Amino acid sequence: MSIIDPAIAVQRLPRHIAIVMDGNGRWAEARHRPRSFGHHEGVKAVRATVEACIRRHVPTLTLFAFSSENWKRPQEEVGTLMELFMKAIDREVDELVANGVALRFVGDRSAFAPALRERMDHSECKRPAQTRLNLNIAANYGGRWDIVQAARCIAAGVARGDIDADTIDESLFDAHVSLADLPPLDLFIRTGGEHRVSNFLLWQLAYAELWFSDVLWPDFDAAALDAALADYARRERRYGRTGQQLRHPA
Ligand code: IPE
Ligand code: IPE
Ligand code: MG
């Protein structure tokens, strides 16, 4: 049974959830299996989370699949992950699109093999007839990279004469970071028990609500998501104001 009341949830649902899907390795190690087994099982949790977001009418989900720092892992593990991404794209994209999922990859894809880049480009071109969920996969993504690419883009605009340097402000910068066209990030979830951001959406996190779960990613499911949603629904987002101001607007 669901732990959140759907009637309340509708107005108090996050419009954009981002998840650091952490804990695959430890999940596998606890079962005396190779880390790659945990990554494979993690794909099932992705499927369950996507389905749960669609059912809950959460319109935007951003998943951290591979950080700009994950290249430092043993070559074998990086290879397994790349293969897994390719297979997951081949196997899942058509069904995702048929179910109303609009897919996008965020991050520096120039580091990926051409075969993977092609799959990414190709799957982004497949648009659902009616979008029920914007699903963003962060791959070779780093929050600092994102800020730097926005700065470079703005600098190029200034050099071309399209942007007046005096007009650079937070809202212009905001328009140049990844996912600028989607709803602002409302809820940041990290599984796996670590309480850190690990260079995920640094700029976009400014006013996101944070939820940390000890659940290891392969065990994450609709019930675990509901626990985060229920907690989010109870929070008062003050953005610098007082609670009084929010409850009794002038
Ligand atoms: C997250 O799980 C998946 C990726 C970073 C690709 P981990 O592989 O980091 O799992 P733990 O943290 O070692 O358990
Ligand atoms: C963050 O997890 C990246 C992804 C989940 C893709 P990590 O496991 O790489 O983070 P750290 O190294 O523990 O900070
Ligand atoms: Mg980890």
Side-chain angles (χ1 to χ4, degrees):
M1 198 179 103
S2 171
I3 58 167
I4 57 173
D5 176 351
I8 300 170
V10 178
Q11 327 106 34
R12 298 196 60 92
L13 273 177
R15 288 187 305 149
H16 186 170
I17 299 176
I19 308 182
V20 179
M21 309 183 286
D22 196 22
N24 292 350
R26 280 164 286 161
W27 186 92
E29 281 156 17
R31 288 159 180 78
H32 309 288
R33 301 291 298 268
R35 293 175 58 84
S36 57
F37 181 58
H39 296 314
H40 279 96
E41 289 298 303
V43 177
K44 294 181 189 165
V46 169
R47 219 175 281 136
T49 304
V50 165
E51 282 167 13
C53 283
I54 294 173
R55 263 202 315 275
R56 283 272 172 230
H57 304 288
V58 171
T60 319
L61 175 66
T62 302
L63 299 175
F64 206 5
F66 192 84
S67 78
S68 45
E69 289 72 33
N70 287 146
W71 298 108
K72 295 177 196 161
R73 293 190 176 201
Q75 217 180 332
E76 194 197 329
E77 181 165 343
V78 172
T80 299
L81 286 166
M82 295 302 138
E83 211 172 293
L84 195 62
F85 295 151
M86 299 253 264
K87 284 192 183 144
I89 291 175
D90 288 346
R91 210 178 37 227
E92 310 281 342
V93 169
D94 286 340
E95 199 186 324
L96 285 171
V97 174
N99 287 329
V101 176
L103 198 63
R104 187 188 299 187
F105 293 90
V106 285
D108 179 6
R109 66 182 81 175
S110 67
F112 293 122
L116 180 52
R117 283 211 309 265
E118 261 166 44
R119 280 170 169 81
M120 289 172 161
D121 297 345
H122 217 83
S123 47
E124 283 176 336
C125 293
K126 297 183 177 176
R127 309 308 291 170
Q130 202 191 349
T131 301
R132 297 164 79 198
L133 177 72
N134 284 292
L135 175 62
N136 311 303
I137 306 292
N140 193 23
Y141 177 89
R144 289 180 172 176
W145 165 85
D146 199 353
I147 291 168
V148 169
Q149 71 77 27
R152 290 174 77 106
C153 192
I154 293 167
V158 172
R160 280 196 313 271
D162 295 341
I163 298 173
D164 176 353
D166 291 334
T167 66
I168 300 172
D169 59 8
E170 287 184 20
S171 75
L172 183 99
F173 210 96
D174 199 57
H176 285 83
V177 294
S178 299
L179 313 177
D181 56 316
L182 296 172
L185 181 56
D186 287 323
L187 177 60
F188 166 95
I189 296 174
R190 182 172 185 141
T191 64
E194 310 291 359
H195 295 183
R196 55 178 172 256
V197 172
S198 298
N199 198 18
F200 200 20
L201 301 155
L202 300 179
W203 174 276
Q204 297 85 342
L205 274 166
Y207 260 107
E209 295 296 325
L210 309 180
W211 170 260
F212 295 98
S213 163
D214 288 334
V215 171
L216 300 173
W217 178 252
D219 290 330
F220 197 82
D221 57 10
L225 181 74
D226 276 356
L229 293 178
D231 193 76
Y232 175 86
R234 283 192 294 271
R235 296 186 188 189
E236 185 173 65
R237 301 183 76 190
R238 292 189 281 271
Y239 297 97
R241 292 188 172 84
T242 66
Q244 177 89 4
Q245 280 179 301
L246 291 180
R247 288 183 292 273
H248 307 285

